[in-house]
Amino acid sequence: MDQSAQQARQLDHLASAPSPGGSPFAAFGMPGPGGPPPAAPPEPRPILELDGEEREDELDALSDWVDDFLLPVYGAEVTTAAPWCLQWQEHDDVVAWLHALWLAYQQHKDPEAGLSGLFVWHRDFLTHAIAAIRAPGGPLSACMTSPERPAHRILPGPPPSARTERANAAEPEVPGADEPGELTS
């Protein structure tokens, strides 16, 4: 009888819902089905929002990808219709485009993107980004248009809007505000 009672208790325990704090997989160091989800990878941030060493590290990794993968595979001949710049890292708009392209590449080469992931990257990201970066009137148009004549020039951007200019002109200047090391009150 004692053995039957013990088996009944064991069956009741196994049939009952698991306790909210415990996990049947805890002994193996794993969360249970209702346990905490695995930590999500950090959210990617646009490279132009990064500063200091964090930006330099990201730019180094991006440069490796561009130099070792993107250009050898997709860097067609440099011409007036498809300019390039050996100092592309100094063109903020090109850096932003290439960084976004690289992030999309990482996402679409992941196995979770499925078998068509890289096709989607080619169709939706690569073609458009390269066309914008290397357009005859694009951000690199004042740079190298022939490998025999390397060139680099940052084109000036548009000036601030009239509204911003008026707001800046209306602000009273604080004497000594531009001088480092001096305190203003």
Side-chain angles (χ1 to χ4, degrees):
M1 289 291 261
D2 288 335
Q3 191 175 17
S4 293
Q6 184 181 8
Q7 286 177 344
R9 283 192 300 273
Q10 221 174 5
L11 285 173
D12 287 342
H13 174 71
L14 291 173
S16 67
S19 61
S23 163
F25 305 102
F28 303 104
M30 299 175 2
E43 293 283 326
R45 290 179 41 210
I47 195 167
L48 298 182
E49 291 180 5
L50 304 177
D51 291 319
E53 190 174 323
E54 188 178 17
R55 181 173 176 154
E56 284 302 313
D57 290 346
E58 192 75 0
L59 189 57
D60 286 344
L62 174 62
S63 296
D64 289 344
W65 180 76
V66 169
D67 293 340
D68 297 340
F69 173 73
L70 186 69
L71 289 179
V73 177
Y74 303 103
E77 182 180 5
V78 175
T79 65
T80 55
W84 185 248
C85 184
L86 297 175
Q87 299 173 45
W88 61 266
Q89 296 93 340
E90 296 179 21
H91 297 266
D92 282 344
D93 47 355
V94 173
V95 168
W97 272 103
L98 290 173
H99 189 251
L101 183 63
W102 180 46
L103 293 176
Y105 174 77
Q106 291 176 62
Q107 177 184 357
H108 286 84
K109 76 173 189 159
D110 188 280
E112 289 184 18
L115 296 174
S116 62
L118 284 174
F119 176 81
V120 172
W121 178 77
H122 281 88
R123 182 194 67 202
D124 294 350
F125 300 93
L126 175 70
T127 305
H128 180 68
I130 293 298
I133 292 167
R134 298 190 67 188
L140 301 178
S141 60
C143 294
M144 182 172 60
T145 57
S146 169
E148 287 80 38
R149 290 177 274 124
H152 168 67
R153 189 172 126 222
I154 304 281
L155 297 173
S161 69
R163 179 182 174 93
T164 301
E165 287 294 315
R166 282 192 303 272
N168 289 341
E171 289 180 8
E173 289 193 28
V174 177
D178 293 329
E179 298 172 23
E182 291 191 13
L183 298 175
T184 58
S185 52

